Amino acid sequence: MQRYFANPALDALSPEEIYVLQEQRLVPQLTYCRDHSEFYREKFRACGVEPGDIKTLDDLRALPVFMNKDQERLNAQESLERDGHPFGTHLCADPKDIYLTGTTSGTTGMPTFTYTFTKQDVETIAPALGWRFAYNGLAYGDRVLFIFALGIYATSMSLWGLRSIKGVPIDVDARAGSELMLRFADITRPKYMATTVSLSEYLIGKAPVVLGKEVGELGFRGLFLTGEVGVSIPEVRQRIESAYGCRIYDYWAPAGHAIAITCDSPSYSGMHWVAPDLCTSFDDLVDPETKQPVPVVNGAVGEMVITSLRRQASPLLKYATGDIVQVWTEPCPHCGFPGKRAQLIGRADDMLVVKGVNIYPAAIKQVVQGFTPQVTGEMRIVLETRPPRVVPPLKLKLERSGQVVDTDLEGLARRIVGAMHDQLKIRPEIQWVDSGSLEKSTRKTPLFEKNYE
Ligand SMILES: [Zn+2]
């Protein structure tokens, strides 16, 4: 029998039987959360339901959203002040039982330790994270060049998955620079590479300079790319696949949930959700504006809402992710995968992604405004392609004030770029325009100049 799911027992189940399995796990998880977290206890109280009332997925969908990133950050602030740890008031385990923790790459505000696990959590999800890579052929002993910002960042979680299937990660911190990455690619002869879309593109141009050969000569069998919309864009995919001479795969596991990857299909057919027994993410969509439920039918588009089904340390209940996804409920036309598949469409807000780093226009504006009165503070982010993904450098149009002389502009730009790099990890390209030339609106001044429309 063909294996599709991380838990092979699911392969024998119909979609309806998988729903039943999820539903069996709802009451125990929700009860656990209420019993171990004041935050969740208050949420249940506020909507007047008991965990025991939530017996079906429809019951769950009918519940209001409990949490989003902003709420999570408030919870973290509260637990930091009151309990002396940053894991939030939704933490359900004793802080001393935390076995692994990681933050999202958020660039504004307090980092949130969304990826916080007990040992049991890691043992539960690691095989699913591993199977996700194995789905397209990665096997025992295969070396994987693993390039992300490592350490406390969430992407490091995937290393547990790779090790669980006895893959051999060669983990290189992205901050080490392209030369080191390419040298490791050359000498360790990895079969696969896991990294971001933009970094994989960046290395295409760098390889001939650093190694004297093309990336296509490195012999990769596949690239696992995450963190950005890109694999689903045909031009991007064509460009990367033809340069490397192999298939690229889109994968993710937001907050350690919705563990999914694309298959070997020549056209994009969505990330295959290989562990539906661990959460309800592709089964609970809401309208991003109203937060009202969106029926999960083939092709449905909505904001993904996560509810954990087997999580100890930091379970999420009715967590609106801000990720807008399109979900397919029909089997994959290429590989026959019988579960749900999804494509990330974008973010509910205006987030941009530059070289794998999440950038918020408001944060850019804040840095720019720190340079008044030499700048007026008016700005536009110039987008050549549809966001969120921006091929670096990010282009910024800034208004110079009347008091800055031409000869000072270069130094001013350099200082602004330096501040952007320090605070936001980007090096934008600055284009000066005269004071008053960017149109202001009495309502909401646009942040973007969209050249792709
Ligand atoms: Zn497939």
mmCIF file with all atom_site columns, all heavy atoms in Angstrom, residues 106-129:
data_model
loop_
_atom_site.group_PDB
_atom_site.id
_atom_site.type_symbol
_atom_site.label_atom_id
_atom_site.label_alt_id
_atom_site.label_comp_id
_atom_site.label_asym_id
_atom_site.label_entity_id
_atom_site.label_seq_id
_atom_site.pdbx_PDB_ins_code
_atom_site.Cartn_x
_atom_site.Cartn_y
_atom_site.Cartn_z
_atom_site.occupancy
_atom_site.B_iso_or_equiv
_atom_site.pdbx_formal_charge
_atom_site.auth_seq_id
_atom_site.auth_comp_id
_atom_site.auth_asym_id
_atom_site.auth_atom_id
_atom_site.pdbx_PDB_model_num
ATOM 1   N N   . GLY A 1 106 ? 10.127 37.312 13.631 1.00 0.00 ? 106 GLY A N   1
ATOM 2   C CA  . GLY A 1 106 ? 9.508  38.632 13.691 1.00 0.00 ? 106 GLY A CA  1
ATOM 3   C C   . GLY A 1 106 ? 10.534 39.727 13.939 1.00 0.00 ? 106 GLY A C   1
ATOM 4   O O   . GLY A 1 106 ? 11.438 39.554 14.756 1.00 0.00 ? 106 GLY A O   1
ATOM 5   N N   . THR A 1 107 ? 10.379 40.818 13.234 1.00 0.00 ? 107 THR A N   1
ATOM 6   C CA  . THR A 1 107 ? 11.375 41.871 13.345 1.00 0.00 ? 107 THR A CA  1
ATOM 7   C C   . THR A 1 107 ? 10.875 43.033 14.184 1.00 0.00 ? 107 THR A C   1
ATOM 8   O O   . THR A 1 107 ? 11.626 43.927 14.502 1.00 0.00 ? 107 THR A O   1
ATOM 9   C CB  . THR A 1 107 ? 11.767 42.405 11.956 1.00 0.00 ? 107 THR A CB  1
ATOM 10  O OG1 . THR A 1 107 ? 10.565 42.705 11.257 1.00 0.00 ? 107 THR A OG1 1
ATOM 11  C CG2 . THR A 1 107 ? 12.579 41.396 11.196 1.00 0.00 ? 107 THR A CG2 1
ATOM 12  N N   . THR A 1 108 ? 9.602  43.035 14.501 1.00 0.00 ? 108 THR A N   1
ATOM 13  C CA  . THR A 1 108 ? 9.083  44.134 15.307 1.00 0.00 ? 108 THR A CA  1
ATOM 14  C C   . THR A 1 108 ? 8.579  43.588 16.630 1.00 0.00 ? 108 THR A C   1
ATOM 15  O O   . THR A 1 108 ? 8.118  42.466 16.720 1.00 0.00 ? 108 THR A O   1
ATOM 16  C CB  . THR A 1 108 ? 7.908  44.844 14.596 1.00 0.00 ? 108 THR A CB  1
ATOM 17  O OG1 . THR A 1 108 ? 6.945  43.860 14.240 1.00 0.00 ? 108 THR A OG1 1
ATOM 18  C CG2 . THR A 1 108 ? 8.370  45.598 13.373 1.00 0.00 ? 108 THR A CG2 1
ATOM 19  N N   . GLY A 1 109 ? 8.676  44.402 17.628 1.00 0.00 ? 109 GLY A N   1
ATOM 20  C CA  . GLY A 1 109 ? 8.135  44.022 18.926 1.00 0.00 ? 109 GLY A CA  1
ATOM 21  C C   . GLY A 1 109 ? 8.902  42.891 19.573 1.00 0.00 ? 109 GLY A C   1
ATOM 22  O O   . GLY A 1 109 ? 9.991  42.507 19.156 1.00 0.00 ? 109 GLY A O   1
ATOM 23  N N   . MET A 1 110 ? 8.276  42.331 20.585 1.00 0.00 ? 110 MET A N   1
ATOM 24  C CA  . MET A 1 110 ? 8.909  41.269 21.359 1.00 0.00 ? 110 MET A CA  1
ATOM 25  C C   . MET A 1 110 ? 8.843  39.956 20.573 1.00 0.00 ? 110 MET A C   1
ATOM 26  O O   . MET A 1 110 ? 7.807  39.608 20.032 1.00 0.00 ? 110 MET A O   1
ATOM 27  C CB  . MET A 1 110 ? 8.108  41.154 22.657 1.00 0.00 ? 110 MET A CB  1
ATOM 28  C CG  . MET A 1 110 ? 8.585  40.077 23.577 1.00 0.00 ? 110 MET A CG  1
ATOM 29  S SD  . MET A 1 110 ? 7.814  40.336 25.187 1.00 0.00 ? 110 MET A SD  1
ATOM 30  C CE  . MET A 1 110 ? 8.057  38.740 25.895 1.00 0.00 ? 110 MET A CE  1
ATOM 31  N N   . PRO A 1 111 ? 9.962  39.224 20.500 1.00 0.00 ? 111 PRO A N   1
ATOM 32  C CA  . PRO A 1 111 ? 9.892  37.934 19.809 1.00 0.00 ? 111 PRO A CA  1
ATOM 33  C C   . PRO A 1 111 ? 8.958  36.981 20.558 1.00 0.00 ? 111 PRO A C   1
ATOM 34  O O   . PRO A 1 111 ? 8.890  37.016 21.785 1.00 0.00 ? 111 PRO A O   1
ATOM 35  C CB  . PRO A 1 111 ? 11.338 37.429 19.840 1.00 0.00 ? 111 PRO A CB  1
ATOM 36  C CG  . PRO A 1 111 ? 12.033 38.232 20.858 1.00 0.00 ? 111 PRO A CG  1
ATOM 37  C CD  . PRO A 1 111 ? 11.274 39.505 21.053 1.00 0.00 ? 111 PRO A CD  1
ATOM 38  N N   . THR A 1 112 ? 8.242  36.178 19.823 1.00 0.00 ? 112 THR A N   1
ATOM 39  C CA  . THR A 1 112 ? 7.335  35.221 20.469 1.00 0.00 ? 112 THR A CA  1
ATOM 40  C C   . THR A 1 112 ? 7.885  33.813 20.313 1.00 0.00 ? 112 THR A C   1
ATOM 41  O O   . THR A 1 112 ? 8.282  33.410 19.216 1.00 0.00 ? 112 THR A O   1
ATOM 42  C CB  . THR A 1 112 ? 5.929  35.290 19.846 1.00 0.00 ? 112 THR A CB  1
ATOM 43  O OG1 . THR A 1 112 ? 6.065  35.220 18.433 1.00 0.00 ? 112 THR A OG1 1
ATOM 44  C CG2 . THR A 1 112 ? 5.211  36.558 20.242 1.00 0.00 ? 112 THR A CG2 1
ATOM 45  N N   . PHE A 1 113 ? 7.867  33.099 21.405 1.00 0.00 ? 113 PHE A N   1
ATOM 46  C CA  . PHE A 1 113 ? 8.416  31.734 21.415 1.00 0.00 ? 113 PHE A CA  1
ATOM 47  C C   . PHE A 1 113 ? 7.316  30.737 21.049 1.00 0.00 ? 113 PHE A C   1
ATOM 48  O O   . PHE A 1 113 ? 6.943  29.874 21.826 1.00 0.00 ? 113 PHE A O   1
ATOM 49  C CB  . PHE A 1 113 ? 9.042  31.444 22.784 1.00 0.00 ? 113 PHE A CB  1
ATOM 50  C CG  . PHE A 1 113 ? 10.286 32.255 23.027 1.00 0.00 ? 113 PHE A CG  1
ATOM 51  C CD1 . PHE A 1 113 ? 10.207 33.580 23.444 1.00 0.00 ? 113 PHE A CD1 1
ATOM 52  C CD2 . PHE A 1 113 ? 11.538 31.709 22.796 1.00 0.00 ? 113 PHE A CD2 1
ATOM 53  C CE1 . PHE A 1 113 ? 11.349 34.338 23.642 1.00 0.00 ? 113 PHE A CE1 1
ATOM 54  C CE2 . PHE A 1 113 ? 12.688 32.467 22.984 1.00 0.00 ? 113 PHE A CE2 1
ATOM 55  C CZ  . PHE A 1 113 ? 12.591 33.781 23.413 1.00 0.00 ? 113 PHE A CZ  1
ATOM 56  N N   . THR A 1 114 ? 6.847  30.917 19.810 1.00 0.00 ? 114 THR A N   1
ATOM 57  C CA  . THR A 1 114 ? 5.727  30.102 19.341 1.00 0.00 ? 114 THR A CA  1
ATOM 58  C C   . THR A 1 114 ? 6.115  28.630 19.261 1.00 0.00 ? 114 THR A C   1
ATOM 59  O O   . THR A 1 114 ? 5.279  27.750 19.394 1.00 0.00 ? 114 THR A O   1
ATOM 60  C CB  . THR A 1 114 ? 5.297  30.600 17.952 1.00 0.00 ? 114 THR A CB  1
ATOM 61  O OG1 . THR A 1 114 ? 5.214  32.027 18.004 1.00 0.00 ? 114 THR A OG1 1
ATOM 62  C CG2 . THR A 1 114 ? 3.958  30.042 17.545 1.00 0.00 ? 114 THR A CG2 1
ATOM 63  N N   . TYR A 1 115 ? 7.402  28.388 19.002 1.00 0.00 ? 115 TYR A N   1
ATOM 64  C CA  . TYR A 1 115 ? 7.887  27.021 18.810 1.00 0.00 ? 115 TYR A CA  1
ATOM 65  C C   . TYR A 1 115 ? 8.478  26.515 20.123 1.00 0.00 ? 115 TYR A C   1
ATOM 66  O O   . TYR A 1 115 ? 9.686  26.518 20.316 1.00 0.00 ? 115 TYR A O   1
ATOM 67  C CB  . TYR A 1 115 ? 8.932  26.988 17.701 1.00 0.00 ? 115 TYR A CB  1
ATOM 68  C CG  . TYR A 1 115 ? 8.381  27.406 16.353 1.00 0.00 ? 115 TYR A CG  1
ATOM 69  C CD1 . TYR A 1 115 ? 8.161  28.747 16.057 1.00 0.00 ? 115 TYR A CD1 1
ATOM 70  C CD2 . TYR A 1 115 ? 8.066  26.454 15.389 1.00 0.00 ? 115 TYR A CD2 1
ATOM 71  C CE1 . TYR A 1 115 ? 7.638  29.130 14.832 1.00 0.00 ? 115 TYR A CE1 1
ATOM 72  C CE2 . TYR A 1 115 ? 7.554  26.829 14.167 1.00 0.00 ? 115 TYR A CE2 1
ATOM 73  C CZ  . TYR A 1 115 ? 7.341  28.167 13.891 1.00 0.00 ? 115 TYR A CZ  1
ATOM 74  O OH  . TYR A 1 115 ? 6.823  28.541 12.682 1.00 0.00 ? 115 TYR A OH  1
ATOM 75  N N   . THR A 1 116 ? 7.613  26.162 21.039 1.00 0.00 ? 116 THR A N   1
ATOM 76  C CA  . THR A 1 116 ? 8.053  25.749 22.364 1.00 0.00 ? 116 THR A CA  1
ATOM 77  C C   . THR A 1 116 ? 7.491  24.362 22.658 1.00 0.00 ? 116 THR A C   1
ATOM 78  O O   . THR A 1 116 ? 6.286  24.149 22.561 1.00 0.00 ? 116 THR A O   1
ATOM 79  C CB  . THR A 1 116 ? 7.586  26.787 23.416 1.00 0.00 ? 116 THR A CB  1
ATOM 80  O OG1 . THR A 1 116 ? 8.287  28.005 23.172 1.00 0.00 ? 116 THR A OG1 1
ATOM 81  C CG2 . THR A 1 116 ? 7.875  26.322 24.827 1.00 0.00 ? 116 THR A CG2 1
ATOM 82  N N   . PHE A 1 117 ? 8.393  23.442 22.956 1.00 0.00 ? 117 PHE A N   1
ATOM 83  C CA  . PHE A 1 117 ? 7.993  22.038 23.032 1.00 0.00 ? 117 PHE A CA  1
ATOM 84  C C   . PHE A 1 117 ? 8.514  21.358 24.288 1.00 0.00 ? 117 PHE A C   1
ATOM 85  O O   . PHE A 1 117 ? 9.615  21.647 24.755 1.00 0.00 ? 117 PHE A O   1
ATOM 86  C CB  . PHE A 1 117 ? 8.559  21.258 21.839 1.00 0.00 ? 117 PHE A CB  1
ATOM 87  C CG  . PHE A 1 117 ? 8.271  21.897 20.515 1.00 0.00 ? 117 PHE A CG  1
ATOM 88  C CD1 . PHE A 1 117 ? 9.265  22.574 19.814 1.00 0.00 ? 117 PHE A CD1 1
ATOM 89  C CD2 . PHE A 1 117 ? 7.005  21.831 19.952 1.00 0.00 ? 117 PHE A CD2 1
ATOM 90  C CE1 . PHE A 1 117 ? 8.997  23.171 18.582 1.00 0.00 ? 117 PHE A CE1 1
ATOM 91  C CE2 . PHE A 1 117 ? 6.729  22.423 18.727 1.00 0.00 ? 117 PHE A CE2 1
ATOM 92  C CZ  . PHE A 1 117 ? 7.726  23.097 18.044 1.00 0.00 ? 117 PHE A CZ  1
ATOM 93  N N   . THR A 1 118 ? 7.741  20.405 24.783 1.00 0.00 ? 118 THR A N   1
ATOM 94  C CA  . THR A 1 118 ? 8.263  19.451 25.752 1.00 0.00 ? 118 THR A CA  1
ATOM 95  C C   . THR A 1 118 ? 8.945  18.333 24.959 1.00 0.00 ? 118 THR A C   1
ATOM 96  O O   . THR A 1 118 ? 8.842  18.275 23.725 1.00 0.00 ? 118 THR A O   1
ATOM 97  C CB  . THR A 1 118 ? 7.136  18.817 26.590 1.00 0.00 ? 118 THR A CB  1
ATOM 98  O OG1 . THR A 1 118 ? 6.268  18.113 25.694 1.00 0.00 ? 118 THR A OG1 1
ATOM 99  C CG2 . THR A 1 118 ? 6.353  19.856 27.365 1.00 0.00 ? 118 THR A CG2 1
ATOM 100 N N   . LYS A 1 119 ? 9.596  17.429 25.673 1.00 0.00 ? 119 LYS A N   1
ATOM 101 C CA  . LYS A 1 119 ? 10.235 16.301 25.002 1.00 0.00 ? 119 LYS A CA  1
ATOM 102 C C   . LYS A 1 119 ? 9.187  15.466 24.261 1.00 0.00 ? 119 LYS A C   1
ATOM 103 O O   . LYS A 1 119 ? 9.396  15.032 23.129 1.00 0.00 ? 119 LYS A O   1
ATOM 104 C CB  . LYS A 1 119 ? 10.978 15.449 26.038 1.00 0.00 ? 119 LYS A CB  1
ATOM 105 C CG  . LYS A 1 119 ? 11.826 14.351 25.438 1.00 0.00 ? 119 LYS A CG  1
ATOM 106 C CD  . LYS A 1 119 ? 12.905 13.906 26.413 1.00 0.00 ? 119 LYS A CD  1
ATOM 107 C CE  . LYS A 1 119 ? 13.959 13.040 25.745 1.00 0.00 ? 119 LYS A CE  1
ATOM 108 N NZ  . LYS A 1 119 ? 13.481 11.702 25.430 1.00 0.00 ? 119 LYS A NZ  1
ATOM 109 N N   . GLN A 1 120 ? 8.051  15.296 24.924 1.00 0.00 ? 120 GLN A N   1
ATOM 110 C CA  . GLN A 1 120 ? 6.984  14.518 24.274 1.00 0.00 ? 120 GLN A CA  1
ATOM 111 C C   . GLN A 1 120 ? 6.502  15.207 22.996 1.00 0.00 ? 120 GLN A C   1
ATOM 112 O O   . GLN A 1 120 ? 6.211  14.551 21.994 1.00 0.00 ? 120 GLN A O   1
ATOM 113 C CB  . GLN A 1 120 ? 5.817  14.336 25.254 1.00 0.00 ? 120 GLN A CB  1
ATOM 114 C CG  . GLN A 1 120 ? 4.682  13.489 24.689 1.00 0.00 ? 120 GLN A CG  1
ATOM 115 C CD  . GLN A 1 120 ? 3.521  13.402 25.656 1.00 0.00 ? 120 GLN A CD  1
ATOM 116 O OE1 . GLN A 1 120 ? 3.676  12.950 26.783 1.00 0.00 ? 120 GLN A OE1 1
ATOM 117 N NE2 . GLN A 1 120 ? 2.345  13.854 25.220 1.00 0.00 ? 120 GLN A NE2 1
ATOM 118 N N   . ASP A 1 121 ? 6.411  16.545 23.021 1.00 0.00 ? 121 ASP A N   1
ATOM 119 C CA  . ASP A 1 121 ? 6.017  17.272 21.805 1.00 0.00 ? 121 ASP A CA  1
ATOM 120 C C   . ASP A 1 121 ? 6.996  16.997 20.666 1.00 0.00 ? 121 ASP A C   1
ATOM 121 O O   . ASP A 1 121 ? 6.594  16.749 19.524 1.00 0.00 ? 121 ASP A O   1
ATOM 122 C CB  . ASP A 1 121 ? 6.001  18.788 22.071 1.00 0.00 ? 121 ASP A CB  1
ATOM 123 C CG  . ASP A 1 121 ? 4.845  19.236 22.950 1.00 0.00 ? 121 ASP A CG  1
ATOM 124 O OD1 . ASP A 1 121 ? 3.810  18.535 22.988 1.00 0.00 ? 121 ASP A OD1 1
ATOM 125 O OD2 . ASP A 1 121 ? 4.981  20.301 23.596 1.00 0.00 ? 121 ASP A OD2 1
ATOM 126 N N   . VAL A 1 122 ? 8.280  17.079 20.985 1.00 0.00 ? 122 VAL A N   1
ATOM 127 C CA  . VAL A 1 122 ? 9.291  16.857 19.942 1.00 0.00 ? 122 VAL A CA  1
ATOM 128 C C   . VAL A 1 122 ? 9.170  15.434 19.393 1.00 0.00 ? 122 VAL A C   1
ATOM 129 O O   . VAL A 1 122 ? 9.208  15.212 18.178 1.00 0.00 ? 122 VAL A O   1
ATOM 130 C CB  . VAL A 1 122 ? 10.715 17.118 20.498 1.00 0.00 ? 122 VAL A CB  1
ATOM 131 C CG1 . VAL A 1 122 ? 11.772 16.670 19.493 1.00 0.00 ? 122 VAL A CG1 1
ATOM 132 C CG2 . VAL A 1 122 ? 10.894 18.593 20.823 1.00 0.00 ? 122 VAL A CG2 1
ATOM 133 N N   . GLU A 1 123 ? 8.961  14.491 20.296 1.00 0.00 ? 123 GLU A N   1
ATOM 134 C CA  . GLU A 1 123 ? 8.839  13.097 19.842 1.00 0.00 ? 123 GLU A CA  1
ATOM 135 C C   . GLU A 1 123 ? 7.583  12.882 19.007 1.00 0.00 ? 123 GLU A C   1
ATOM 136 O O   . GLU A 1 123 ? 7.543  12.010 18.142 1.00 0.00 ? 123 GLU A O   1
ATOM 137 C CB  . GLU A 1 123 ? 8.855  12.154 21.061 1.00 0.00 ? 123 GLU A CB  1
ATOM 138 C CG  . GLU A 1 123 ? 10.271 12.010 21.617 1.00 0.00 ? 123 GLU A CG  1
ATOM 139 C CD  . GLU A 1 123 ? 10.329 11.426 23.016 1.00 0.00 ? 123 GLU A CD  1
ATOM 140 O OE1 . GLU A 1 123 ? 9.260  11.125 23.588 1.00 0.00 ? 123 GLU A OE1 1
ATOM 141 O OE2 . GLU A 1 123 ? 11.454 11.271 23.536 1.00 0.00 ? 123 GLU A OE2 1
ATOM 142 N N   . THR A 1 124 ? 6.571  13.688 19.250 1.00 0.00 ? 124 THR A N   1
ATOM 143 C CA  . THR A 1 124 ? 5.338  13.575 18.467 1.00 0.00 ? 124 THR A CA  1
ATOM 144 C C   . THR A 1 124 ? 5.503  14.182 17.077 1.00 0.00 ? 124 THR A C   1
ATOM 145 O O   . THR A 1 124 ? 5.086  13.592 16.079 1.00 0.00 ? 124 THR A O   1
ATOM 146 C CB  . THR A 1 124 ? 4.168  14.284 19.202 1.00 0.00 ? 124 THR A CB  1
ATOM 147 O OG1 . THR A 1 124 ? 4.046  13.720 20.497 1.00 0.00 ? 124 THR A OG1 1
ATOM 148 C CG2 . THR A 1 124 ? 2.866  14.127 18.441 1.00 0.00 ? 124 THR A CG2 1
ATOM 149 N N   . ILE A 1 125 ? 6.104  15.368 17.018 1.00 0.00 ? 125 ILE A N   1
ATOM 150 C CA  . ILE A 1 125 ? 6.111  16.049 15.718 1.00 0.00 ? 125 ILE A CA  1
ATOM 151 C C   . ILE A 1 125 ? 7.331  15.727 14.854 1.00 0.00 ? 125 ILE A C   1
ATOM 152 O O   . ILE A 1 125 ? 7.248  15.809 13.627 1.00 0.00 ? 125 ILE A O   1
ATOM 153 C CB  . ILE A 1 125 ? 5.934  17.579 15.839 1.00 0.00 ? 125 ILE A CB  1
ATOM 154 C CG1 . ILE A 1 125 ? 7.132  18.227 16.506 1.00 0.00 ? 125 ILE A CG1 1
ATOM 155 C CG2 . ILE A 1 125 ? 4.637  17.954 16.501 1.00 0.00 ? 125 ILE A CG2 1
ATOM 156 C CD1 . ILE A 1 125 ? 7.106  19.745 16.355 1.00 0.00 ? 125 ILE A CD1 1
ATOM 157 N N   . ALA A 1 126 ? 8.458  15.349 15.485 1.00 0.00 ? 126 ALA A N   1
ATOM 158 C CA  . ALA A 1 126 ? 9.661  15.124 14.673 1.00 0.00 ? 126 ALA A CA  1
ATOM 159 C C   . ALA A 1 126 ? 9.448  14.078 13.565 1.00 0.00 ? 126 ALA A C   1
ATOM 160 O O   . ALA A 1 126 ? 9.865  14.307 12.419 1.00 0.00 ? 126 ALA A O   1
ATOM 161 C CB  . ALA A 1 126 ? 10.846 14.743 15.558 1.00 0.00 ? 126 ALA A CB  1
ATOM 162 N N   . PRO A 1 127 ? 8.790  12.949 13.839 1.00 0.00 ? 127 PRO A N   1
ATOM 163 C CA  . PRO A 1 127 ? 8.596  11.991 12.746 1.00 0.00 ? 127 PRO A CA  1
ATOM 164 C C   . PRO A 1 127 ? 7.768  12.576 11.595 1.00 0.00 ? 127 PRO A C   1
ATOM 165 O O   . PRO A 1 127 ? 7.998  12.240 10.425 1.00 0.00 ? 127 PRO A O   1
ATOM 166 C CB  . PRO A 1 127 ? 7.848  10.826 13.415 1.00 0.00 ? 127 PRO A CB  1
ATOM 167 C CG  . PRO A 1 127 ? 8.120  10.963 14.870 1.00 0.00 ? 127 PRO A CG  1
ATOM 168 C CD  . PRO A 1 127 ? 8.267  12.434 15.118 1.00 0.00 ? 127 PRO A CD  1
ATOM 169 N N   . ALA A 1 128 ? 6.821  13.460 11.921 1.00 0.00 ? 128 ALA A N   1
ATOM 170 C CA  . ALA A 1 128 ? 6.014  14.083 10.867 1.00 0.00 ? 128 ALA A CA  1
ATOM 171 C C   . ALA A 1 128 ? 6.852  15.077 10.066 1.00 0.00 ? 128 ALA A C   1
ATOM 172 O O   . ALA A 1 128 ? 6.767  15.141 8.830  1.00 0.00 ? 128 ALA A O   1
ATOM 173 C CB  . ALA A 1 128 ? 4.792  14.772 11.468 1.00 0.00 ? 128 ALA A CB  1
ATOM 174 N N   . LEU A 1 129 ? 7.691  15.840 10.771 1.00 0.00 ? 129 LEU A N   1
ATOM 175 C CA  . LEU A 1 129 ? 8.596  16.771 10.075 1.00 0.00 ? 129 LEU A CA  1
ATOM 176 C C   . LEU A 1 129 ? 9.556  15.986 9.185  1.00 0.00 ? 129 LEU A C   1
ATOM 177 O O   . LEU A 1 129 ? 9.918  16.429 8.091  1.00 0.00 ? 129 LEU A O   1
ATOM 178 C CB  . LEU A 1 129 ? 9.391  17.600 11.086 1.00 0.00 ? 129 LEU A CB  1
ATOM 179 C CG  . LEU A 1 129 ? 8.597  18.559 11.984 1.00 0.00 ? 129 LEU A CG  1
ATOM 180 C CD1 . LEU A 1 129 ? 9.507  19.125 13.071 1.00 0.00 ? 129 LEU A CD1 1
ATOM 181 C CD2 . LEU A 1 129 ? 7.975  19.685 11.178 1.00 0.00 ? 129 LEU A CD2 1
#
